[in-house]
Amino acid sequence: MANLVRAKISALGTYVPPRLLTNADLEKMVETSNEWIIERTGIRQRHIVDKGMATSDLAIEAAKSALQERGIPGSKIEAIFLGTVTPDMLFPATACIVQDKIGAAGAWGYDISAACSGFVYALQTAVKFVESGAHKRVLAIGADVMSSIINYQDRATCIIFGDGAGAVVVEPATDGNYMIDFIHEIDGSGACSLYMPGGGSRNPSSHETVDKKMHYVHQDGQAVFKYAVRKMTETSETILKRNGFTGKDVALFVPHQANRRIIMSAAERLGLKEDRIVINIDEYGNTTAGTIPLAMQTARQQGRLKKGDLVLIASVGAGFTVGAALMRWAC
Ligand code: COA
């Protein structure tokens, strides 16, 4: 039976901390150069938090901004799904802290650990609760403070990541502009290509785990790169095809911002020219679950996102986790 309720993004809010970490700053910290970073990743700077600021602080600002745009108080929100790999604490969920601070009394929710696909997974969850009729107003948030788990002596990882957050309000659609489809995959065979080995039940935090730097991100950059290009392309092609579209129909491709070369390789395979791709990695680096809402915001600020536009989003993250979504932009 056809699903009668469709869901849309009705508001978007984002937040990045004001402090900048530029390539020039990194040149003083590790053996690297501005030219190498720009050529190999496209990144010029990242925003990082001051000591004491946590993921919920960014998520709360992004959520408040989305609520303000929608013109509703936090008390109207029924559920909060928050994608992050850098929760304030292992538990309770950062979604709980956000719920309290935005005044969403009566709401429920949880964190979703899907790394760079965290926002897409949170969005899918929010959309399904709205489509099922269970809820009318839900927040989907992607937020990470990657600087809290980065080794700033490891040039292979410290140049890539930044901190940031984005939040959207999801509610029932009232016209033809709605979330059309999602695709998700996980592939645990790649678990050790990108991971933080310490601090969990496998290697609980100890002097030894800290001495071995297991509380930092470890990555096989080339394995991640190849997987990301292949999967971003495959899932994007599949979601377009099964909904009767081709790359030519896409008004805007909003990819996870991991590396400019990953984005351009995937876009080329999809037949998408640069004027239909959002890239803001130069400004923010890879903010993990924050990249896609931050990229949507950049597109809006550039006047490139209009109601009714066919928008394709795609992500690959640690896990591996894969996500893609297709929508008619609705706000
Ligand atoms: N500055 C200067 N040189 C660096 C460097 C840095 N920050 N990091 C690595 N290098 C060096 C390497 O040591 C290597 O030197 P060698 O040839 O003497 O051994 C050389 O540059 C090439 O290294 P390589 O790892 O092949 O570079 P790359 O072109 O693959 O770029 C990444 C490295 C990490 C930027 C790239 O692999 C990448 O972006 N991978 C995906 C990572 C990602 O997106 N993670 C998040 C996923 S959601």
Side-chain angles (χ1 to χ4, degrees), residues 26-44:
L26 287 165
E27 281 177 348
K28 293 179 201 135
M29 297 157 74
V30 289
E31 204 184 321
T32 191
S33 67
N34 179 43
E35 294 70 31
W36 192 96
I37 301 172
I38 291 174
E39 192 199 315
R40 305 311 292 165
T41 69
I43 303 168
R44 291 173 188 275

Side-chain angles (χ1 to χ4, degrees), residues 24 112 116 118 135 201 219 326:
I112 295 172
C116 296
H135 292 305
S201 57
Q219 120 176 322
L326 203 54

Side-chain angles (χ1 to χ4, degrees), residues 30-33 36-37 39-41 43 115-117 154-161 193-194 217 219-226 228 256-262 281 286 288 315-318 320-321:
V30 289
E31 204 184 321
T32 191
S33 67
W36 192 96
I37 301 172
E39 192 199 315
R40 305 311 292 165
T41 69
I43 303 168
C116 296
S117 299
D154 174 13
R155 68 178 183 174
T157 51
C158 73
I159 57 153
I160 294 174
F161 295 97
S193 296
L194 180 55
V217 171
Q219 120 176 322
D220 176 348
Q222 289 192 5
V224 176
F225 192 102
K226 285 182 199 147
H256 167 54
Q257 311 280 312
N259 182 315
R260 189 173 211 283
R261 289 184 297 134
I262 294 177
I281 192 167
N286 179 350
T288 301
S315 66
V316 170
F320 290 113
T321 57

